[in-house]
Every structure is written in C-alpha cells, then in structure tokens.
Amino acid sequence: MLYIVPTPVGNLDDMTFRAVETLKNADLILAEDTRTSSVLLKHFDIHTPMQSHHKYNEHSTVKHLTERIEGGEDIALISDAGTPGISDPGFMLVRECRKAGIEVTVLPGATAFVPALVGSGLPCDRFVFEGFLPLKKGRATRLAQLSEDPRTVIIYESPVRLPRTLRQLCETFGEDREACVAREISKKFETFHSGTLKELSEYFTVNTPRGEIVIVLKGAES
C-alpha cells in the first residue's frame, strides 16, 4: 500500500499519532528532502529507511516504486512540510499507483492554506487555491483571471518575491481589494497582516518579510 502522510508545517506537536505509527510501520519512507525529514524522524524516534523523492527524480523512480509496492512493501510518502501533492511532489506517484490498482491511503493532516484562510477573516465558504503562481509565462493572464473570481483566492509566495507580487496584485486586483498575508503558520512567529492591497504592499516594502507566506484575497464583487 502507498500511504500519503502529512507532516507539520511548523509546530512538531501538530503531527498526529496515526502519522507517527504509519511511518514507523512502513517499509520505506519517501522524503522530499531527507536532511529535513531526518529531524522529524529523530524527534519521533522513527527508524524506518528513507529515500529521496522530489520533483527532479520522481519521473525516473515512480515505476520502480510502484513495482516495490506490488511486491508487497508498504511505502509512505512525506514532504518537507504539509500534505504531499499540495504544492509538493506526490501527484505522479499517486496517479501511477491508482493506474496499477494499488491501494492508496491518504492521512488527514497539516496544510498551510487552511489555517491561513480561516484565520484571515475573509469568506471561507467558497475559495480557490492557486498555490504558487507562474514565475513568468502566463503569470499576468492568470492574475487577470483570478481578479474576476468571486471566491476567496489563496496564493503561496516566497518572502523574497512577496513585495513584487503585492505590487502586481495592486495593479491587477485594485489597490482597495481586501487581503491578508499570513506568515509562518503554526510556528513561533506566526503573524497575520490584514488590510487593503495598497496597505499591505506599502508595509512589506518597508518591512522585509521572512518565512513561508500565504496570501488570501477577497473575491471579486458579483
């Protein structure tokens, strides 16, 4: 069986009992970055063998991995933080396992955008999760499409690119669009900054952001 196991996005105490037991009982753990995941495994006294599995090698390893599962092994997939497949590697392996008739079990658990959405104070009954925007090709077109969506919009961004992205959002969504920038979800220095896009752009132009960033934007008026 293939297990998809979410890991904490910040606080290690967010790890579930079921996730720990699954990783302990698996024959192999696939990790996005074995150096990062070794800290997690050590913290929970998990000694299962680990192998690197990321976007640069998944095309070449997925066939061999499905064959190992068909041969009787239980394999668990984790990412550096959050749920595999959500802006992280995982989709390709799940797809191939499903095609091969292999059972896939996905454990519920941590992901950054849900706490950011709920804590933003913006409508969370209907939303669109965009993940990371295209860096160049198609970026302007995608922003224009999202600016007209009536649902709350969720975007992941790096701290280095945040000021530039906020300026672009001001140009496309309008300076008065309500938004929230959530930073370091579930970590010691978690912060939520709410206001108009203009206010947020001005703030983060002066105050250099750090850590993982989630941008939540109010949907377009009907």
Side-chain angles (χ1 to χ4, degrees), residues 33-190:
D33 187 325
T34 55
R35 294 167 300 179
T36 299
S37 297
S38 64
V39 177
L40 177 77
L41 300 192
K42 182 178 180 180
H43 181 82
F44 290 105
D45 196 30
I46 299 170
H47 302 285
T48 305
M50 189 166 41
Q51 177 180 314
S52 179
H53 182 80
H54 46 71
K55 63 181 181 181
Y56 300 110
N57 72 356
E58 60 181 344
H59 288 82
S60 60
T61 60
V62 65
K63 185 177 185 297
H64 174 64
L65 291 170
T66 55
E67 289 174 350
R68 290 184 62 170
I69 299 173
E70 288 177 315
E73 293 189 51
D74 287 332
I75 294 181
L77 173 65
I78 61 176
S79 61
D80 290 347
T83 301
I86 304 298
S87 293
D88 279 323
F91 161 71
M92 184 174 295
L93 182 58
V94 171
R95 180 184 62 184
E96 293 307 308
C97 284
R98 289 293 188 193
K99 286 182 178 179
I102 295 170
E103 187 175 354
V104 179
T105 296
V106 183
L107 278 63
T111 187
F113 79 82
V114 173
L117 170 64
V118 175
S120 70
L122 295 171
C124 51
D125 55 334
R126 297 175 67 239
F127 61 89
V128 53
F129 172 66
E130 183 64 20
F132 288 98
L133 292 166
L135 293 179
K136 293 181 180 179
K137 185 178 180 180
R139 185 181 178 91
T141 301
R142 193 72 191 112
L143 284 174
Q145 293 170 340
L146 291 171
S147 70
E148 298 176 356
D149 199 309
R151 298 170 294 180
T152 300
V153 177
I154 306 166
I155 297 171
Y156 282 169
E157 191 52 282
S158 75
V160 175
R161 294 193 297 264
L162 179 63
R164 173 175 172 267
T165 296
L166 289 173
R167 289 193 295 271
Q168 290 178 323
L169 291 171
C170 281
E171 296 170 359
T172 310
F173 284 65
E175 294 182 341
D176 295 329
R177 182 74 67 96
E178 291 181 50
C180 176
V181 174
R183 188 181 67 85
E184 293 290 80
I185 292 294
S186 187
K187 297 179 183 178
K188 181 178 180 180
F189 298 105
E190 174 183 290

